[in-house]
Amino acid sequence: MGMSRVSYEEKLKHAKNPTAQRLLLCMLEKQTNLCASLDVGKISEVLSISEQIGSDVCMVKIHADALSDVSIDALLTLQELSEKNNFLIFEDRKFADIGSTVRMQYAEGPYRIVEWSDITNAHILPGPGIIEGLSEVGMPHHRGLLLLAEMSSHGALMDEQYRKTAYEWAEKYSEFVIGFIGKGRTEAPQYLIMCTPGIHLEALSDGLGQQYQSPIDAIAAGTDVIIVGRGIYGSGSAQTASRHYREIGWDAYTQAMRG
Ligand code: S5P
């Protein structure tokens, strides 16, 4: 509040992590702050929607463990598609265990997330060892991590103190941590990237605790990247919807920078 907003260009200049640099550069080049969250049940569906909306997004977010036909091959195809269409991949894994366990879950197991996902995220609940474990795997691959500072869902337990701890640890580990999942509050470290899910233009909730805000409100509250799921793939045309969210998101950003 009152503090002037840090532009994507300024964040890019200060970014220490190569994935943060790639994301910000991609946003500026394509003029989009839209991340599509494709919880569509099948990787084949993720691939076809990504192809349709690739030019409108800076990032595609998935949950690999919620795709029935998933395989490493298909995930590597998504990676190729992301390179061709200039967007990043975000596996929304929400790691939440001790350092040595998350290190295995990130590098190995059925998904080998670090091999194809530019960005993943983690809860800070277990302590800073989770960041250290993930960074041992992610840093050699030049990957980036988002910390969950806040959640959009009703009754979430993250309070102000929890949020502040996420911000402190992010600064401490800022070679690897590129930003946050949060609601867009401006007291977060200014040069890191704030990503906000729970965005929808019409709905207010989903009957299972999700709480939506509009893309305009989120960006006015300081977010950098809007994450939209059902607002895109739940509409008649993913392509039309993503174009719409992209325009609204970018206009809200340019307006916030002027005002
Ligand atoms: O606090 C959060 C954090 C995340 S990453 N609230 C969320 O909704 N998410 C994720 O964003 C959630 O797992 C889902 O993949 C997406 C929101 O989807 P939508 O369909 O409600 O837009």
Side-chain angles (χ1 to χ4, degrees):
M1 300 288 132
M3 235 174 2
S4 71
R5 188 188 178 110
V6 175
S7 68
Y8 299 145
E9 285 93 344
E10 282 295 310
K11 291 194 191 216
L12 174 58
K13 271 187 219 153
H14 285 80
K16 295 183 205 159
N17 176 290
T19 294
Q21 292 167 357
R22 280 174 52 222
L23 176 60
L24 290 160
L25 198 60
C26 164
M27 291 165 68
L28 286 162
E29 277 174 11
K30 292 172 75 174
Q31 304 210 329
T32 176
N33 49 27
L34 176 63
C35 167
S37 168
L38 300 181
D39 299 325
V40 290
K42 292 193 155 191
I43 186 76
S44 47
E45 197 52 18
V46 169
L47 292 172
S48 76
I49 298 177
S50 296
E51 204 132 29
Q52 291 166 36
I53 67 171
S55 60
D56 287 311
V57 299
C58 60
M59 189 150 72
V60 166
K61 182 176 89 57
I62 60 168
H63 291 280
D65 63 359
L67 302 170
S68 59
D69 57 345
V70 76
S71 66
I72 300 278
D73 271 357
L75 291 164
L76 293 174
T77 304
L78 177 63
Q79 187 183 40
E80 276 167 29
L81 219 154
S82 79
E83 280 162 14
K84 202 175 77 193
N85 289 278
N86 189 22
F87 62 77
L88 281 79
I89 305 173
F90 171 12
E91 162 58 22
D92 187 2
R93 175 60 179 75
K94 295 188 183 73
F95 290 102
D97 214 321
I98 60 168
S100 95
T101 301
V102 296
R103 202 171 54 185
M104 292 173 72
Q105 291 171 320
Y106 189 20
E108 295 157 37
Y111 305 121
R112 308 206 305 255
I113 294 165
V114 75
E115 291 182 19
W116 48 267
S117 187
D118 302 291
I119 294 170
T120 190
N121 55 355
H123 287 294
I124 60 161
L125 202 63
I130 188 169
I131 306 173
E132 290 167 11
L134 292 170
S135 94
E136 279 187 15
V137 175
M139 287 287 281
H141 283 83
H142 312 292
R143 303 306 193 197
L145 183 71
L146 297 169
L147 298 181
L148 284 122
E150 231 177 335
M151 290 194 73
S152 60
S153 41
H154 175 73
L157 298 176
M158 291 105 149
D159 60 9
E160 196 185 336
Q161 191 51 52
Y162 189 97
R163 248 186 346 259
K164 282 191 178 146
T165 306
Y167 298 156
E168 276 166 31
W169 293 358
E171 294 216 275
K172 179 160 180 228
Y173 295 96
S174 65
E175 307 268 314
F176 184 48
V177 177
I178 67 170
F180 309 95
I181 297 290
K183 291 185 186 169
R185 306 256 159 87
T186 45
E187 76 269 27
Q190 293 196 69
Y191 293 106
L192 295 179
I193 302 166
M194 177 63 75
C195 303
T196 302
I199 303 278
H200 203 292
L201 278 165
E202 287 112 32
L204 292 175
S205 61
D206 70 351
L208 281 175
Q210 177 68 297
Q211 306 175 115
Y212 289 115
Q213 59 175 324
S214 83
I216 295 169
D217 288 350
I219 287 170
T223 204
D224 296 304
V225 176
I226 51 170
I227 301 176
V228 184
R230 284 164 284 185
I232 290 177
Y233 67 80
S235 73
S237 157
Q239 207 163 18
T240 307
S242 59
R243 209 155 289 166
H244 192 45
Y245 277 96
R246 178 241 187 105
E247 273 165 24
I248 289 174
W250 195 259
D251 283 353
Y253 167 71
T254 51
Q255 201 150 328
M257 288 313 299
R258 278 198 298 269

